[in-house]
Amino acid sequence: MTEAFTFTCGVCGELHEGLPHYGYDAPDFYYAVKEDEREERCSLNSDLCIVDKKYFFIRAVLLVPIIGIDRKFGWGVWSSLSEANFKRYQEISVAAEASGEGPYFGWLSNMLPFYPDTLNLKVHVHLQVEGIRPLLQLEASDHPLAVDQREGLPRTRALDMVQRLMHPGISDP
């Protein structure tokens, strides 16, 4: 059994339970389309996005372990997929056998704060069972996000990131 994770926020002073995760409602490519053209050019729901009928994205989770605790920080992000893999994902994403499929190759499709350019980092998309969002594994590289996913994020840095995400606009918690 995992013990509860609590922390006192250095910004608001409140005691928080759990480690919040941070997510995106769409891939950055979606927001690059002019707002008045999105309805015609894009199809978007909570898990899938298609732009111009030729760019395909799925929502996934990128987990980063935190050193010294039994918790991971989760980024709810989007990954591109080839059209063939996107269609296959649609076919099997709610099936129990989905976890035996892949991994698929993709490109990280969101810019994450606290890291240098994360857009288009190479990822491996690992499918999960029965509708659970896929997990992303960054391809091995020296990019700081890939290093953090591989080696773990120091607890103090993870808490700093969480506080900044919970209180946008602060400069230093």
Side-chain angles (χ1 to χ4, degrees), residues 22 119 121 139 143:
Y22 187 77
L119 198 59
L121 289 176
E139 193 166 280
H143 189 281

Side-chain angles (χ1 to χ4, degrees), residues 61-82:
V61 178
L62 192 154
L63 296 174
V64 178
I66 301 172
I67 298 168
I69 62 173
D70 187 24
R71 293 284 185 275
K72 293 182 180 179
F73 183 81
W75 292 101
V77 294
W78 293 77
S79 173
S80 67
L81 284 182
S82 68

Side-chain angles (χ1 to χ4, degrees), residues 113-148:
F114 315 114
Y115 292 99
D117 190 3
T118 60
L119 198 59
N120 294 320
L121 289 176
K122 295 177 182 179
V123 296
H124 301 280
V125 181
H126 296 273
L127 304 186
Q128 304 296 302
V129 294
E130 300 188 43
I132 298 174
R133 288 196 173 118
L135 294 176
L136 295 187
Q137 178 185 7
L138 289 162
E139 193 166 280
S141 75
D142 60 355
H143 189 281
L145 180 58
V147 172
D148 284 348

